[in-house]
Amino acid sequence: MLRFGTAGIPASTKATGDTVAGLKRVAELGLSSMEIEFVRGVYLKDKTAAPVAYVARKLGLRLSCHAPYYLNLNHADETRRRQAGGVLHHAARMAAAAGAETIVFHAGYYLKDSPETVYDAIKAEIETVLGKLRDEAVKITLRPELAGKTSQFGNLAEIIRLSKELSGVAPAVDFAHLHAATGRYNSYAEFAEVLERLGEALGRESLDDLHLHVSGIEYRGSGERRHLNLQESDFRYEELLQALADVKAGGLLICESPNIEEDALLLQSVFRDLSPKV
């Protein structure tokens, strides 16, 4: 089953900034998931995370979380790199306490290093975080996000490779980012190619538990500039949804458009009207 939700608290939520109220609004809208946004900092604590988990369970919602944007697991300064790993660990722990099954993160930047050197550095930091979470019996999947800029680590091959090599890691596939970073991947055939690569590399289970980000996107040669509403962009979301229907995709599809709940409902509505072509 593919569940649709918002990246953060819906804009129509009356209690601004209240995560529990946001969950209730998600359910009222007829959506079935939400991504908790720690993008500017981890704002939940043990005492405030517990009610979020309780309400989500009561409403039948599945939760994910997005770690702070400022992470860079390939920071040139070793101390800052270790600190970034600490932030990811803390964010993952609090996300799990709030009932999130997965935490999405931007892994880092290439800087002046070779892609292989960056891969090794980021993999080592993720392994450290995974080890701490295992020691604490924290159950959550770490999901490096497919990057939207050419300067960022995290192309499709890199996040698939991390997911193959590290238990507890799975991809977060942002189709808008993929389109922005490559200037391609905006047709049924290309979307189907991505899904086929995921299935071949990571097994059928990866398609049953996808974590997807979808929005309109403005981009240039270096990649992503800003997110747009779907109907204000060139992103062919109907063709993506058909490709997902055809592989009987499951998991979460999180909408990151500026009008998050409106586009999330649009995507859900279109998807429900589709039937597999194959």
Side-chain angles (χ1 to χ4, degrees):
M1 176 181 178
L2 189 62
R3 292 170 173 257
F4 292 77
T6 58
I9 298 167
S12 56
T13 306
K14 292 180 180 179
T16 305
D18 186 326
T19 303
V20 168
L23 295 176
K24 293 177 180 178
R25 182 58 181 151
V26 163
E28 288 171 356
L29 289 165
L31 298 167
S32 54
S33 65
M34 192 180 90
E35 188 166 273
I36 300 168
E37 300 297 305
F38 286 165
V39 294
R40 291 178 178 82
V42 180
Y43 65 85
L44 291 176
K45 302 182 184 302
D46 289 318
K47 183 180 289 189
T48 53
V52 173
Y54 173 78
V55 171
R57 284 196 303 271
K58 187 175 179 182
L59 295 173
L61 302 178
R62 285 186 62 186
L63 302 184
S64 63
C65 182
H66 199 302
Y69 283 149
Y70 53 79
L71 288 179
N72 183 4
L73 301 179
N74 185 47
H75 201 288
D77 181 87
E78 184 177 354
T79 299
R80 297 284 294 276
R81 189 166 66 247
R82 300 296 184 197
Q83 288 173 342
V87 171
L88 178 57
H89 167 247
H90 175 57
R93 191 176 65 79
M94 294 314 308
E101 302 167 21
T102 192
I103 184 161
V104 178
F105 62 100
H106 299 168
Y109 293 84
Y110 293 112
L111 304 177
K112 296 180 180 179
D113 300 324
S114 71
E116 192 64 25
T117 298
V118 176
Y119 181 89
D120 290 341
I122 286 175
K123 179 182 175 182
E125 290 301 325
I126 293 173
E127 284 183 297
T128 298
V129 173
L130 288 168
K132 290 178 180 178
L133 294 171
R134 280 194 295 269
D135 290 345
E136 297 165 350
V138 174
K139 294 183 179 180
I140 192 163
T141 301
L142 302 186
R143 290 188 183 258
E145 182 173 352
L146 203 157
K149 297 179 180 178
T150 56
S151 60
Q152 288 179 300
F153 172 90
N155 61 35
L156 184 60
E158 287 167 337
I159 64 171
I160 287 176
R161 182 180 170 192
L162 283 171
S163 302
K164 287 181 69 174
E165 294 180 358
L166 295 175
S167 177
V169 173
V173 180
D174 189 316
F175 277 101
H177 281 178
L178 181 59
H179 176 43
T182 64
R184 298 173 50 237
Y185 291 100
N186 197 28
S187 68
Y188 175 88
E190 290 168 316
F191 298 138
E193 174 198 328
V194 172
L195 297 171
E196 183 178 3
R197 287 178 65 181
L198 290 170
E200 288 180 351
L202 303 174
R204 174 66 218 185
E205 58 270 26
S206 69
L207 299 177
D208 293 334
D209 190 26
L210 292 164
H211 188 90
L212 309 175
H213 284 171
V214 177
S215 71
I217 196 89
E218 180 183 333
Y219 57 94
R220 54 187 174 189
S222 59
E224 166 192 20
R225 292 192 70 185
R226 64 186 176 116
H227 290 184
L228 299 174
N229 296 329
L230 286 167
Q231 295 180 327
E232 298 168 2
S233 75
D234 70 352
F235 189 70
R236 299 177 183 173
Y237 62 91
E238 298 100 331
E239 295 181 44
L240 169 61
L241 293 172
Q242 185 66 65
L244 292 168
D246 288 347
V247 298
K248 298 180 174 58
L252 305 186
L253 189 155
I254 300 297
C255 179
E256 291 191 315
S257 297
N259 64 348
I260 49 174
E261 60 258 59
E262 292 175 33
D263 272 2
L265 288 166
L266 171 64
L267 291 163
Q268 179 175 262
S269 176
V270 173
F271 184 77
R272 286 180 173 175
D273 288 341
L274 293 174
S275 58
K277 294 195 300 184
V278 292

